[in-house]
């Protein structure tokens, strides 16, 4: 008999699963949700790009604020209004810069979330990119945002 790799460890019970997944949503937001809020003009949060100056110059989410994670402790109060939730992003899922930035903001007492997928998924999902030359939009990756099909999640 073959042992299931999926079922070898049983799924958590209801209460533990609710606590876990609700907890994750209190710490994370995805690029599509950020884009939806930006598109709808929702306020009450600020998007922080924690990458290097070279990375910022290469392209960033329009409206985001550039604040490399190593500068957060010294500059956060100057760039983040009181009472505003911070959303951090860095390159992508293989980079922990947004996590480091979120930790720095949390240590300073800011409410904070991390944009999972980072700039990579922002671009892959067809989000606009701002550079010194203006704003551009690349075609979305059909594996992350198929044409004519909305995730609707």
């Amino acid at each position: 008999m073959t042992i299931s790799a999926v079922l070898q460890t049983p799924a958590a019970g209801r209460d533990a699963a609710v606590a876990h997944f609700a907890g994750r949503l209190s710490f994370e937001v995805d690029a599509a949700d950020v884009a939806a809020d930006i598109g709808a003009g929702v306020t009450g949060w600020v998007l922080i790009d924690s990458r290097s100056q070279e990375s910022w110059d290469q392209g960033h989410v329009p409206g985001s604020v550039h604040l490399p994670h190593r500068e957060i402790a010294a500059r956060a109060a100057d760039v983040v209004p009181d009472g505003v939730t911070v959303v951090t992003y860095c390159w992508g899922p293989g980079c922990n810069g947004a996590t480091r930035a979120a930790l720095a903001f949390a240590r300073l007492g800011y409410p904070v979330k991390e944009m999972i997928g980072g700039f990579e998924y922002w671009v892959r999902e067809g989000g606009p990119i701002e550079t010194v030359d203006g704003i551009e939009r690349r075609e979305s990756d059909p594996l992350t945002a198929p044409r004519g099909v909305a995730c609707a999640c």
Side-chain angles (χ1 to χ4, degrees):
M1 176 195 270
T2 302
I3 297 174
S4 169
V6 172
L7 301 176
Q8 185 175 8
T9 301
R14 178 191 177 278
D15 292 344
V18 167
H20 172 79
F21 293 114
R24 282 190 60 187
L25 291 173
S26 71
F27 294 110
E28 301 172 348
V29 63
D30 65 19
D33 289 339
V34 169
D37 270 15
I38 290 171
V42 175
T43 60
W45 59 275
V46 62
L47 185 61
I48 299 290
D49 183 319
S50 64
R51 300 173 303 147
S52 68
Q53 185 66 50
E54 296 80 13
S55 299
W56 170 266
D57 292 343
Q58 183 180 352
H60 53 272
V61 177
S64 62
V65 175
H66 185 230
L67 185 57
H69 78 269
R70 287 184 176 89
E71 299 175 21
I72 290 170
R75 297 184 43 221
D78 296 331
V79 297
V80 179
D82 288 336
V84 171
T85 296
V86 174
V87 176
T88 63
Y89 76 90
C90 199
W91 270 114
C95 174
N96 67 5
T99 304
R100 290 174 194 233
L103 176 59
F105 278 107
R107 284 181 170 151
L108 294 172
Y110 289 89
V112 62
K113 290 187 172 198
E114 181 179 353
M115 185 175 83
I116 59 172
F119 188 67
E120 176 187 344
Y121 273 76
W122 178 266
V123 174
R124 290 182 75 185
E125 292 179 16
I129 304 163
E130 185 172 8
T131 67
V132 295
D133 297 323
I135 295 178
E136 66 177 80
R137 189 181 290 265
R138 299 177 185 167
E139 193 169 317
S140 63
D141 178 340
L143 295 177
T144 61
R147 281 198 185 134
V149 178
C151 175
C153 54

